[in-house]
Amino acid sequence: MSLPDREAIDSALALVRAVMPPTPQQRWPLLDARSGAQVWVKHENHTPVGAFKVRGGLVYMDALRRREPAVRSVMSATRGNHGQSIAFAAARHGLAATIVVPRGNSVEKNAAMRALGAELIEQGEDFQAAREHAVRLAGERGAHMVPSFHADLVRGVASYWVEFFASFATGEAPEVVFVPIGLGSGICACAAARAHAGVRTRIVGVVSAHAPAYRLSFEAGRAIEAPVSTQLADGMACRVPEPQALAIIQREVDEIVSVSDDEVAAAMRAFFADTHNVAEGAGAAPLAALLQQRERWAGRRVGLSLSGGNVDSAQFARVLAAG
């Protein structure tokens, strides 16, 4: 899959802007002091579903209704934010949405999907198993299966990175941005927006050390399946890389780093202390990576994606208490 071109990204941005305003982008003095860098945070935790995924869902569902006007129901699998995105966008188009999640999934993300009108089914021990069940169920019900990675999702998500890069004067974009990797739509969208903006910003992908499939695959130059054991960064709990995403990542991303659950927890606490924003595990991972590489980026211009804030209250309370 190639990156979406300028026209495709601009049309996606117009679709998203019709539903929601640009999310905030902030410098926080305490965060600068903690990291030693000049840090711009893109607050995708401020979207209507508390995460960046809603942008992709809006664009995907609009394109689906144009391609298949007879469609009446959609199916997908998720650990949470993608499912909220699909439920939110499906409701806007009058479509029924069924979302399959793995057993033991986030209680509050499940509640949010139900509140958005989705039927929720718990099946499988991890995301991959849930997705396989969703594919089978979609076939049985005649529902449209929404993938977790697709060109329309990427161009929708690219809208937030276009907002980010467009906020800087020529030549003033950050030297580096840190981007969490789940299945890959977020980081591929960043690459597309970088090309759209014509900037030279370095893109550093961030994975969980307890879900290293994309880092191992990036380093090996081929897809490598790896076990998932993260207890905190469910948005990065990928066992099997998406081939199309991996191909783009290998072409466009400069490096990939790993952060542990302990480092993610520390970054969640740092975001709350320094900005009073709640970050879920994947949303805090970019800050965890910056703090891990503090000496390398000291004094330099850095961008962080706070990609979502949907963490269960009980889990967040444990993270804060542990600090």
Side-chain angles (χ1 to χ4, degrees), residues 11-12 25 43 52 66 101-102 131 190 197 224 240 260 264 266 294 321:
S11 67
Q25 187 169 310
H43 282 283
F52 77 100
R66 294 172 190 275
V101 300
R131 181 163 68 168
C190 181
I224 294 178
V240 180
S260 69
V264 167
R294 190 179 191 279

Side-chain angles (χ1 to χ4, degrees), residues 78-81 84 101-116 118 120 122 231-232 234 280 309-316 318:
T78 188
R79 292 297 301 260
N81 290 336
Q84 290 183 67
V101 300
R103 284 186 287 270
N105 196 54
S106 162
V107 173
E108 291 174 22
K109 286 181 181 178
N110 287 357
M113 286 182 276
R114 290 190 178 102
L116 288 165
L120 204 74
E122 294 187 69
Q231 299 298 305
L232 195 55
D234 59 353
E280 62 186 87
N310 296 324
V311 55
D312 282 358
S313 302
Q315 185 181 63
F316 191 55
R318 289 193 295 271

Side-chain angles (χ1 to χ4, degrees), residues 4-36:
D5 61 20
R6 175 173 292 276
E7 182 179 357
I9 291 176
D10 287 343
S11 67
L13 181 60
L15 279 169
V16 172
R17 286 276 175 83
V19 178
M20 55 175 275
T23 52
Q25 187 169 310
Q26 301 283 355
R27 284 278 302 279
W28 299 94
L30 287 172
L31 206 58
D32 282 5
R34 183 186 298 271
S35 67

Side-chain angles (χ1 to χ4, degrees), residues 211-286:
Y214 268 105
R215 180 182 60 79
L216 296 174
S217 300
F218 181 77
E219 292 171 354
R222 59 182 177 84
I224 294 178
E225 182 176 336
V228 171
S229 59
T230 177
Q231 299 298 305
L232 195 55
D234 59 353
M236 301 192 294
C238 174
R239 173 161 57 91
V240 180
E242 166 60 44
Q244 293 184 91
L246 180 59
I248 293 172
I249 289 168
Q250 288 176 321
R251 291 198 311 266
E252 303 288 341
V253 173
D254 295 282
E255 64 181 293
I256 294 179
V257 299
S258 299
V259 292
S260 69
D261 276 0
D262 286 346
E263 289 174 309
V264 167
M268 292 169 71
R269 291 190 291 269
F271 262 132
F272 191 71
D274 295 352
T275 78
H276 288 116
N277 276 265
V278 174
E280 62 186 87

